[in-house]
Amino acid sequence: MEEILTGGIAVASLIAGMFFWRFWKTSRDRFFLLFAIAFWIEGVHRIFIYGWAGRDEASPLYYLVRLVAYGLIIAAIVDKNRGSGRR
């Protein structure tokens, strides 16, 4: 059952990244680009880490990749609130 849920989360993340990519292509706003990259990192990470590490979430690599993805989301929000999101 956990494999199905992990796969569902991975697919949902990849699809969310595609939506943000489409929004970025029409607006060229960095906010959407950073969100797309963050969701793609999260989706690909779910696929590879589950195949590689399985259910063992004790590896620092597991959380380091998530930290990068969530850091991109925070950077996008901070950048947008500073008013420099559109260039």
Side-chain angles (χ1 to χ4, degrees):
M1 183 68 168
E2 188 172 336
E3 295 89 3
I4 294 171
L5 291 175
T6 300
I9 292 170
V11 169
S13 295
L14 294 172
I15 290 173
M18 289 189 327
F19 275 110
F20 283 115
W21 177 260
R22 185 181 63 163
F23 297 144
W24 175 76
K25 283 179 69 173
T26 59
S27 70
R28 295 292 183 198
D29 190 351
R30 259 189 312 198
F31 178 80
F32 295 123
L33 178 63
L34 291 176
F35 262 68
I37 293 170
F39 275 100
W40 285 336
I41 289 171
E42 183 66 28
V44 170
H45 174 254
R46 295 260 181 188
I47 293 168
F48 283 120
I49 202 70
Y50 195 80
W52 180 57
R55 296 180 182 160
D56 180 29
E57 295 184 7
S59 171
L61 179 64
Y62 194 85
Y63 293 103
L64 182 64
V65 175
R66 282 188 178 176
L67 180 66
V68 169
Y70 297 150
L72 282 173
I73 291 173
I74 292 171
I77 293 170
V78 168
D79 184 49
K80 187 68 171 182
N81 285 329
R82 280 195 345 219
S84 63
R86 192 180 261 280
R87 288 194 180 180

